[in-house]
Amino acid sequence: MIGSILNEYGISWAIYRALYTGKLKILKILPKTEALFEKRAAYPKRLDLFKINISRLQQFLRKLPKREQIALTEAADQACRGRITGFSSVELDYGFPINWQLNPLTGRECDRKKKWYQIADFDEERGDIKVIWEISRFSHFLTFARAYLLTGDEKYYRAFSGQLAHWLENNPYSYGANFKCGQECALRMANALLAYTVFEGNGLIQKTDREHMRILILRCYRKIRSNFFYADRCIKNNHTISELVGMLIGSWCCREEKQISYAGRRLNEVINEQFTEDGGYIQHSFNYERLALQDIEMVLAMEPKTGIILGNTAREKILNAARLMYQCQDECGDMPNYGSNDGALVFPVTSCGYRDFRPVVNTVCRLLTGDTPYTKGIYEEEWLWFGGKKEEEVSQVRTGRLERNQEEKTKRSSCFEQAGLYTLRKQNSWMMLVLNEYRSRPAHMDQLHVDLWVGGINVLCDGGTFSYADSLGKKLITNESHNTAVYESNPQMKQKGPFFLYDWTERGQIRGNRDSFYGEMRSKNGYTHSRAVKMISGGYRITDYIKGKNGKKFEIRFHTPCEVRKKGAVVELVKEGAIVCVLLFSGPFQVVHSLRSLYYLQSERIHCVTVLGVIENGTGKIETEIQIQGE
């Protein structure tokens, strides 16, 4: 295990991780040493970082469909009483006044008198710490701002003002769960400052509100600077980008020019490190890619004030990330449930559902090119928050290579080899396949997973995540919960905890074109899986080859939310009484129940069609034909 970790994660990562672990041990034994690790900051002197076209945003909100307006005001009214929809799916009641240390799902809370480093990441009795953090992200402050612009009712300003003051009173610096994570601090100050900007622009902000915003920014900025080493050297993912955004906000508000320059320079470096040239993201997750892109939208929105301009390479990678997401997106805006999915939609500034990725794709494309692949829709509101300019005022584009053309607005079969994602598209259906050559930590054991979408229905689906602190979440990481091969019940890789995979798989041959795909994956657990997919008349043909020891058993799994009807040697997948597609297999199969999680902390029963095979002469083969109805 140690050899694999050093080889895959790198010696420098292991050293930095050991240093951070040592820091935590020192803090627990000698709490007074905390001062040695603390970074001081000047008191914030300015707050006018964001420029939002409030009248234009208000006009947009007042033209929303009536049902969306009602949903917005109802959500805001609930949030006034400490009730929010956490992770875009779970109703959470933190009480009134709000208990900022409470996990409403377990009724347990963190000890507010303990320092952040004395609080455990995982505690079975308390439950997932992300539930405690959820309300302190202040995403609902944006709901207050939107509801005020829609209705003009000042109760939403009073809720914002009162909750901000109450949070500061009950969260002294470095105590409690809400100072445990620098990313949480970054998102908290960003959401609060965006809402503050709206209320300030309407003349509602009082002297006490300005003072409270400065205190919030100072506390959050100090946390980020004091613990940035961990995000930058140990985590190396969306946390790093979020904390750099928080550092940029804090240093600008505090007029710390050297820190502004450092944050901008490091942000350019991190974007180049974390995004591939073809738009893939280091975390192998659409959920986290959206989070990173929303962070970057904020950086682009701050450009006029901070003077931090992202370089051409970073801008190209960001735009290519939006283009990749567009090509891997269904027409309804949803995307495959690819990789880790913690329900993060930290800047909920549209009336679109959590699983609609059009707002971020639209906003990034318009910020960088002035163009969009979509027609008009409610997802445009995000652009108004982070851009909102006239088209001729597009954020500085310093190279013609960023320009879009008409062909790129058409969804088509695509190969994103660096990202490890591949699509095949027909008239009314499409597939996405996963095959990575890992250069960074894997998220799920989803090599050669296939997602199938027909007429807006995710017919063959990914199991998702559920929770990082639950046994179901650990199971959903494995290849057993993906549409791929399972060899003698062996996982593709070895697993330790919710985030740590080692003995990474290796990618072998790979090739593809507009109507076919072939890829090979070698597992260090004793087998090789090859998958060929061919578009045929009326559907697709999937051929799987497993190389291993003679006599060993294997399975090819297909998970579906559809009703499953067995008709002799075939399977019909049915939705709302209509047959969506028919599956034919070359071997025996069985249908069992399974689970998937489309939203964090939510699960639902689905079916898993399992095709059975045996290794003979070193190889096993299973062929699956998928016939799409009406195609």
Side-chain angles (χ1 to χ4, degrees):
M1 175 180 172
I2 294 176
S4 294
I5 291 171
L6 291 176
N7 181 55
E8 293 166 352
Y9 289 80
I11 294 175
S12 61
W13 178 87
I15 292 171
Y16 290 134
R17 183 72 197 196
L19 288 172
Y20 185 72
T21 301
K23 169 186 172 178
L24 294 181
K25 288 182 178 179
I26 291 170
L27 287 170
K28 290 174 183 177
I29 296 170
L30 299 170
K32 290 184 178 180
T33 61
E34 183 179 8
L36 300 175
F37 300 103
E38 280 293 309
K39 303 288 185 183
R40 295 293 172 181
Y43 196 74
K45 301 174 180 65
R46 53 188 178 183
L47 299 171
D48 57 331
L49 178 55
F50 296 112
K51 184 179 180 181
I52 300 173
N53 190 328
I54 292 175
S55 62
R56 195 174 177 190
L57 184 56
Q58 186 173 57
Q59 290 171 18
F60 186 93
L61 285 163
R62 292 182 176 180
K63 291 179 181 178
L64 285 175
K66 194 66 177 178
R67 65 179 181 278
E68 306 296 352
Q69 294 183 359
I70 293 172
L72 172 56
T73 55
E74 287 180 348
D77 289 343
Q78 289 295 311
C80 289
R81 296 188 285 271
R83 302 168 189 166
I84 65 169
T85 302
F87 315 105
S88 304
S89 63
V90 184
E91 299 305 314
L92 300 174
D93 188 346
Y94 293 87
F96 187 74
I98 293 171
N99 184 341
W100 302 100
Q101 303 290 332
L102 176 69
N103 180 335
L105 298 181
T106 62
R108 302 288 182 173
E109 59 185 273
C110 281
D111 188 343
R112 68 194 65 221
K113 296 181 180 179
K114 284 186 175 181
K115 289 282 189 172
W116 65 269
Y117 49 80
Q118 297 173 316
I119 296 171
D121 289 332
F122 300 102
D123 183 316
E124 289 187 6
E125 185 175 302
R126 179 201 66 209
D128 196 330
I129 197 170
K130 289 175 69 64
V131 183
I132 296 175
W133 289 343
E134 188 72 359
I135 196 165
S136 289
R137 283 186 167 185
F138 291 163
S139 296
H140 67 288
F141 279 9
L142 299 179
T143 306
F144 289 154
R146 296 177 68 231
Y148 170 75
L149 290 175
L150 174 64
T151 65
D153 194 329
E154 293 186 10
K155 70 179 179 181
Y156 301 120
Y157 155 70
R158 292 192 295 272
F160 159 80
S161 178
Q163 289 186 18
L164 176 59
H166 189 257
W167 191 94
L168 292 170
E169 180 183 350
N170 288 274
N171 289 272
Y173 179 69
S174 85
Y175 285 90
N178 294 313
F179 284 106
K180 190 164 180 62
C181 176
Q183 176 173 242
E184 296 301 314
C185 287
L187 303 177
R188 182 179 307 136
M189 75 163 92
N191 280 319
L193 195 52
L194 282 170
Y196 170 92
T197 301
V198 170
F199 292 123
E200 172 72 20
N202 282 277
L204 297 173
I205 292 296
Q206 304 297 309
K207 183 178 179 180
T208 53
D209 299 320
R210 294 187 184 92
E211 185 66 14
H212 290 154
M213 275 302 310
R214 291 187 176 101
I215 295 171
L216 178 74
I217 288 169
L218 180 62
R219 291 182 188 177
C220 292
Y221 178 44
R222 281 188 63 189
K223 170 62 184 181
I224 292 167
R225 286 206 59 202
S226 300
N227 216 48
F228 182 63
F229 170 87
Y230 179 58
D232 195 32
R233 300 298 181 184
C234 300
I235 302 183
K236 297 182 177 182
N237 58 22
N238 70 88
H239 282 250
T240 317
I241 293 178
S242 293
E243 291 191 32
L244 281 167
V245 172
M247 189 182 295
L248 196 56
I249 293 171
S251 58
W252 185 88
C253 291
C254 296
R255 292 186 182 272
E256 295 183 349
E257 298 302 325
K258 288 185 178 179
Q259 203 63 36
I260 294 172
S261 178
Y262 168 78
R265 182 176 67 254
R266 186 69 188 119
L267 189 59
N268 268 285
E269 294 169 351
V270 167
I271 290 171
N272 290 332
E273 291 165 5
Q274 293 194 7
F275 287 88
T276 62
E277 290 181 5
D278 61 3
Y281 189 55
I282 193 170
Q283 286 181 268
H284 315 291
S285 160
F286 288 142
N287 171 66
Y288 284 130
E289 187 156 19
R290 171 170 59 185
L291 192 158
L293 289 180
Q294 277 201 316
D295 277 339
I296 293 164
E297 289 173 359
M298 183 162 287
V299 175
L300 296 172
M302 293 189 293
E303 276 185 353
K305 290 293 183 74
T306 64
I308 297 301
I309 308 296
L310 297 181
N312 285 344
T313 301
R315 297 168 96 84
E316 273 199 70
K317 287 186 173 184
I318 295 162
L319 181 58
N320 285 340
R323 289 170 173 168
L324 179 150
M325 294 178 78
Y326 178 69
Q327 291 296 337
C328 296
Q329 186 181 66
D330 193 66
E331 294 302 323
C332 65
D334 200 353
M335 299 184 72
N337 207 10
Y338 169 55
S340 299
N341 181 1
D342 70 348
L345 183 56
V346 294
F347 305 128
V349 288
T350 76
S351 294
C352 296
Y354 165 76
R355 298 209 58 86
D356 190 340
F357 289 76
R358 287 174 293 185
V360 70
V361 174
N362 174 73
T363 303
V364 170
C365 289
R366 290 183 71 174
L367 283 171
L368 292 176
T369 72
D371 198 6
T372 175
Y374 308 110
T375 56
K376 291 187 178 297
I378 61 173
Y379 40 78
E380 291 181 288
E381 186 185 345
E382 187 163 316
W383 151 254
L384 295 176
W385 282 87
F386 295 108
K389 308 165 188 174
K390 297 177 181 178
E391 301 304 333
E392 62 267 21
E393 297 175 351
V394 173
S395 177
Q396 294 183 25
V397 179
R398 297 184 289 164
T399 170
R401 289 179 295 172
L402 295 184
E403 294 177 0
R404 298 183 64 88
N405 57 53
Q406 196 62 37
E407 183 182 349
E408 289 175 326
K409 298 181 183 181
T410 303
K411 291 189 171 74
R412 61 193 185 282
S413 296
S414 304
C415 173
F416 301 98
E417 190 169 335
Q418 292 175 322
L421 300 173
Y422 313 84
T423 65
L424 295 172
R425 287 193 177 267
K426 294 172 70 71
Q427 182 178 354
N428 190 44
S429 65
W430 65 281
M431 283 184 166
M432 188 188 84
L433 294 107
V434 180
L435 183 56
N436 279 286
E437 182 62 65
Y438 290 118
R439 294 179 176 83
S440 60
R441 179 190 310 186
H444 281 200
M445 303 182 204
D446 53 6
Q447 294 284 64
L448 290 174
H449 166 84
V450 60
D451 243 67
L452 172 65
W453 295 69
V454 180
I457 301 170
N458 190 187
V459 177
L460 299 179
C461 63
D462 186 309
T465 296
F466 186 69
S467 170
Y468 299 137
D470 189 272
S471 59
L472 174 58
K474 294 176 183 177
K475 180 180 179 182
L476 291 177
I477 289 174
T478 69
N479 43 310
E480 290 186 0
S481 297
H482 293 88
N483 302 326
T484 187
V486 178
Y487 174 79
E488 284 285 309
S489 299
N490 285 342
Q492 287 181 352
M493 295 169 266
K494 293 185 176 67
Q495 178 182 6
K496 183 176 177 60
F499 304 115
F500 210 79
L501 299 180
Y502 62 100
D503 280 351
W504 299 350
T505 59
E506 297 176 349
R507 184 166 68 184
Q509 294 184 49
I510 187 166
R511 57 182 180 269
N513 53 41
R514 295 178 63 181
D515 61 5
S516 68
F517 165 87
Y518 174 83
E520 180 182 276
M521 180 277 299
R522 293 187 288 271
S523 170
K524 294 176 183 176
N525 286 339
Y527 73 99
T528 297
H529 178 199
S530 302
R531 170 164 276 178
V533 182
K534 176 73 175 175
M535 290 199 298
I536 59 176
S537 177
Y540 306 84
R541 180 180 294 115
I542 302 175
T543 307
D544 290 292
Y545 302 90
I546 307 295
K547 292 182 179 179
K549 294 182 179 180
N550 287 338
K552 294 290 185 180
K553 297 178 181 179
F554 68 92
E555 302 169 354
I556 304 297
R557 295 192 169 195
F558 296 103
H559 296 80
T560 180
C562 297
E563 176 189 349
V564 177
R565 296 177 183 170
K566 294 175 65 174
K567 295 288 185 72
V570 305
V571 166
E572 295 177 347
L573 301 185
V574 179
K575 196 73 171 178
E576 297 179 354
I579 298 174
V580 180
C581 62
V582 176
L583 278 58
L584 301 90
F585 307 109
S586 63
F589 64 91
Q590 59 186 17
V591 180
V592 297
H593 289 293
S594 187
L595 292 170
R596 76 161 172 176
S597 172
L598 280 175
Y599 301 88
Y600 201 69
L601 293 176
Q602 293 285 298
S603 65
E604 61 179 329
R605 290 187 73 180
I606 60 172
H607 295 94
C608 178
V609 183
T610 303
V611 193
L612 310 174
V614 179
I615 305 291
E616 296 178 357
N617 299 320
T619 303
K621 175 183 175 182
I622 287 177
E623 201 165 74
T624 303
E625 186 171 314
I626 303 175
Q627 299 174 351
I628 308 297
Q629 295 299 294
E631 191 158 72

